[in-house]
Amino acid sequence: SFTLEATINPDFGQVEADPAEVNLTQFETFFSERRPFFVEGTSILGSRGLFYSRRIGAPPPGQPDADYFDRVDNTTILGAAKVTGRTRAGLSLGALAAVTAREHAATFDTATDTFGRAEVAPPAAYGIVSVQQEFGRDRSVLGGSLTGVTRGMDDGSPLAALVPEHALSGIIDGRLRWAGGQYDISAFAGYSHVSGDSLAILRLQRSSRRYFQRPDADYVEVDPSRTQLNGLLLGINHSRNSGKHWLWDVDYTRQAPGLELNDIGQQGSADNHFLSGDIRWRETQPGRVLRRYEAGVYQDGTWNLGGINNQLAYGVLGSGQLRNFWSFSGGVIRIARALSDDLTRGGPLMGTGAAWRVESALSGNPANRTRWLMEANLQRDELEGWTTDLSGTLSFRPGPRWELSVDPSWIRAVNARQYVQERDGGPAATFGRRYVFAFVERSEVRARIRLNYALSPDLTLETYAEPFASSGRFYDHGELRAARSRELRTYGEEGTTVSLDPATGQRQVTDGAATFTLPNRDFDVRSFRSNAVLRWEWRPGSTLFVVWQQNRARQAAEWSRVAPGDLFDSLTARGDNFLALKATYWLPVR
């Protein structure tokens, strides 16, 4: 009932590349895992964010202090092994261990005209064990997970100041079902512990996940002498999953300020209470017009552990399916005013404006050879920000061997409160600092294209391509007027002056006796990423891969509103081509 797999350097074999993006937030983007070794049979390992397999082999944390250096995109996975399976008694087990290498980057010093090497990643060992026992007539479950990371670093080394030396996390998670699974209640309790050099722990305290340095937070503070960080993760949920008409779901999650899962897990922020709930009425008996439909209301809110409401949204949602199997969904959402504890990126609380959001989607019959989906999302806020987001999917199967799909999207948006930088010399109302924001107008267009062809049951060609174009301009800069305010003191007004340098795009601001320069954040990005994988299973379980990968990109500090035709510009950008050959051989060990 159990499978053991081991691998050396599980680097490729996937078809899709990570999508290109322009991330203007302070938060990390979490991409989906696509490496086959970490995808197959590991569903039991993903528990409440404790395990994110892309941490294994991730880009190095260090960067050489040199005039020039080679960029190392990923750490080398020396080896990994996993055991997964399930007994007849309903006990599921999963365990994974991996070791990554010490990484160095080549450097060049112009003053001495010498080449060198700098360590950018320490050797590391990763491990996770998960168990889950199913019991009762309604298949209730009780389980838990334990994860660990250890890195080999010398005390006082540059890398020791960047990342913790040890990380440990664990969780107990259970779900009780009754009435044939119609109702359930789940609860979980988790814990995290990281330790290491005080500078590494200081970085965690000041990171975007917690911002302990916030000047108006009276329940957390930065302690430069700390060498460890601990936190709790708690949650409870109750749902009605089936029934004739009424369904509901209520969730509560608490993340302590010191919770840190990102050495081997996936965590966007800490210091949060999440409370959400919805209630829906549905009809599954086909009628003259609709085969099924449902409608309901929902609420979603976030508070930090200081009792500040960071986000509150509520709305009406609905969906249904027509007699011809076309499906539709939509909703109207109200986002209330709130106070953000991360917009100023370590500064005081800042108000956010109220907004309305409308969502809609329409899709065709999923059983047809030609499948399609259209989505449109619109949002407007009281601070003059807005978003128009259009996307779709078209999938076509002209024959049993062919499949073609295109997923285009187009976005135009204005963010009225885009963070630019923090400066000194501010008023007492913002604790002596200037928190500078701007309007940013963005336009973005992309298309994900997939073409697959089966030459035979054992020989397939799979291709993926994603042209991408994005551009943005920053304008109407200003600084936060006061803590907890949502208003800006716009530069060029109220006794201030601002002048633009056309050559560099920088702005010089004069405020009384103070003069300072704002950087040019405008951007224009073109990207083209593609993979072509020829996969031949030349004997059962043994496969040969031939992979051709392109990665083209171009970036400039300028702005021009993009349109679908700009996608072709990405094809002419400079880039790299990779050709790789990989073979696997299945050893039938009995």
Side-chain angles (χ1 to χ4, degrees):
S1 300
F2 289 85
T3 300
L4 168 66
E5 292 184 68
T7 184
I8 299 173
N9 194 15
D11 52 353
F12 64 87
Q14 68 275 13
V15 177
E16 293 192 13
D18 289 331
E21 68 160 5
V22 176
N23 187 351
L24 298 180
T25 75
Q26 68 272 40
F27 299 110
E28 176 185 4
T29 300
F30 296 102
F31 294 111
S32 300
E33 179 62 86
R34 294 180 172 87
R35 296 170 294 182
F37 176 83
F38 294 103
V39 172
E40 298 166 358
T42 57
S43 58
I44 188 177
L45 299 178
S47 180
R48 308 289 182 179
L50 264 68
F51 180 60
Y52 177 51
S53 58
R54 294 200 57 163
R55 297 290 180 204
I56 304 172
Q63 180 172 302
D65 183 13
D67 298 314
Y68 298 97
F69 59 88
D70 282 340
R71 187 182 67 181
V72 180
D73 293 328
N74 299 97
T75 52
T76 301
I77 303 175
L78 297 177
K82 65 182 177 183
V83 175
T84 57
R86 174 185 170 92
T87 69
R88 293 181 179 179
L91 176 66
S92 298
L93 171 67
L96 186 146
V99 178
T100 58
R102 188 187 307 274
E103 294 288 350
H104 293 85
T107 63
F108 180 74
D109 190 317
T110 56
T112 60
D113 195 29
T114 58
F115 291 91
R117 288 204 318 162
E119 185 179 353
V120 293
Y126 300 82
I128 176 172
V129 177
S130 292
V131 294
Q132 188 179 88
Q133 177 64 58
E134 202 173 86
F135 61 91
R137 182 179 58 187
D138 296 320
R139 302 175 64 183
S140 299
V141 294
L142 178 64
S145 297
L146 184 66
T147 75
V149 180
T150 185
R151 299 180 174 94
M153 299 180 293
D154 296 329
D155 293 340
S157 66
L159 289 177
L162 294 178
V163 290
E165 185 175 6
H166 304 289
L168 179 70
S169 63
I171 194 169
I172 297 175
D173 195 348
R175 182 178 298 274
L176 179 64
R177 299 184 175 98
W178 68 93
Q182 182 175 344
Y183 300 91
D184 72 24
I185 186 169
S186 65
F188 58 89
Y191 174 76
S192 73
H193 167 84
V194 294
S195 61
D197 190 279
S198 60
L199 292 177
I201 303 303
L202 178 62
R203 285 171 57 89
L204 293 179
Q205 295 179 72
R206 300 177 64 89
S207 75
S208 61
R209 293 185 288 281
R210 47 191 59 84
Y211 289 135
F212 279 3
Q213 70 270 32
R214 302 192 310 269
D216 52 354
D218 58 5
Y219 63 99
V220 292
E221 61 180 358
V222 173
D223 182 355
S225 65
R226 293 184 71 163
T227 57
Q228 57 181 264
L229 201 62
N230 306 291
L232 290 174
L233 172 67
L234 303 171
I236 190 169
N237 161 268
H238 171 54
S239 303
R240 187 186 186 194
N241 301 304
S242 61
K244 185 175 182 180
H245 292 301
W246 289 104
L247 307 176
W248 61 76
D249 183 78
V250 180
D251 288 276
Y252 170 75
T253 302
R254 181 186 186 274
Q255 297 175 332
L259 183 71
E260 180 55 50
L261 304 177
N262 279 320
D263 288 270
I264 193 174
Q266 178 178 345
Q267 175 189 345
S269 63
D271 187 13
N272 290 311
H273 295 280
F274 300 101
L275 179 62
S276 64
D278 66 75
I279 183 168
R280 309 178 305 281
W281 190 94
R282 71 174 183 178
E283 178 59 73
T284 57
Q285 186 69 29
R288 297 181 61 184
V289 178
L290 299 174
R291 290 184 174 274
R292 59 170 179 81
Y293 63 91
E294 74 173 42
V297 296
Y298 92 103
Q299 176 271 330
D300 184 9
T302 304
W303 293 259
N304 65 24
L305 270 66
I308 300 298
N309 175 221
N310 300 140
Q311 178 183 333
L312 181 62
Y314 47 90
V316 179
L317 304 175
S319 64
Q321 188 178 69
L322 301 172
R323 295 285 296 183
N324 63 355
F325 293 98
W326 286 20
S327 298
F328 62 89
S329 63
V332 178
I333 300 165
R334 175 64 171 175
I335 302 171
R337 287 180 172 180
L339 290 172
S340 172
D341 56 10
D342 56 38
L343 266 181
T344 55
R345 305 192 183 186
L349 294 169
M350 181 173 177
T352 59
W356 285 97
R357 182 174 177 84
V358 178
E359 301 177 346
S360 62
L362 180 67
S363 62
N365 187 343
N368 290 343
R369 281 191 174 184
T370 301
R371 298 183 298 239
W372 55 270
L373 165 69
M374 298 185 297
E375 295 181 297
N377 301 314
L378 308 174
Q379 181 169 316
R380 298 290 185 273
D381 66 45
E382 65 174 310
L383 303 177
E384 300 181 20
W386 54 270
T387 300
T388 301
D389 183 351
L390 305 177
S391 61
T393 297
L394 178 62
S395 177
F396 180 53
R397 290 179 178 267
R401 297 187 177 193
W402 290 91
E403 181 178 13
L404 171 65
S405 67
V406 181
D407 300 273
S409 68
W410 176 81
I411 299 173
R412 277 201 62 199
V414 170
N415 180 359
R417 296 295 183 268
Q418 174 61 52
Y419 179 86
V420 176
Q421 64 175 198
E422 174 190 353
R423 306 188 63 92
D424 56 11
T430 52
F431 300 90
R433 308 291 293 175
R434 299 179 191 266
Y435 298 94
V436 182
F437 293 81
F439 283 71
V440 58
E441 179 184 354
R442 297 181 58 196
S443 57
E444 184 175 291
V445 60
R446 73 170 73 223
R448 297 187 182 97
I449 305 168
R450 301 169 181 87
L451 176 62
N452 302 328
Y453 178 66
L455 289 85
S456 72
D458 301 323
L459 182 62
T460 60
L461 176 64
E462 302 175 65
T463 61
Y464 171 87
E466 187 202 31
F468 171 87
S470 180
S471 190
R473 70 180 180 102
F474 287 67
Y475 62 97
D476 288 354
H477 294 66
E479 63 185 60
L480 180 63
R481 187 176 295 277
R484 293 177 173 251
S485 172
R486 61 184 53 86
E487 301 300 327
L488 298 182
R489 181 174 174 239
T490 303
Y491 295 143
E493 302 175 1
E494 302 182 41
T496 66
T497 62
V498 58
S499 59
L500 174 67
D501 182 348
T504 64
Q506 296 179 341
R507 291 170 171 83
Q508 187 173 26
V509 178
T510 301
D511 182 12
T515 300
F516 52 91
T517 300
L518 299 179
N520 178 16
R521 303 289 195 195
D522 293 354
F523 60 88
D524 190 79
V525 176
R526 301 292 185 270
S527 169
F528 180 76
R529 298 182 178 183
S530 69
N531 276 342
V533 178
L534 182 67
R535 181 182 283 114
W536 177 34
E537 189 173 358
W538 50 279
R539 55 168 292 171
S542 301
T543 309
L544 176 69
F545 300 89
V546 181
V547 181
W548 175 36
Q549 182 184 81
Q550 284 192 84
N551 190 357
R552 300 178 180 274
R554 186 183 74 218
Q555 183 172 344
E558 56 188 31
W559 175 81
S560 62
R561 188 173 297 158
V562 300
D566 294 311
L567 292 177
F568 295 101
D569 293 343
S570 64
L571 301 177
T572 60
R574 298 187 62 182
D576 299 316
N577 285 269
F578 301 92
L579 182 64
L581 183 69
K582 175 181 177 180
T584 66
Y585 183 77
W586 185 267
L587 298 175
V589 179
R590 294 182 175 85

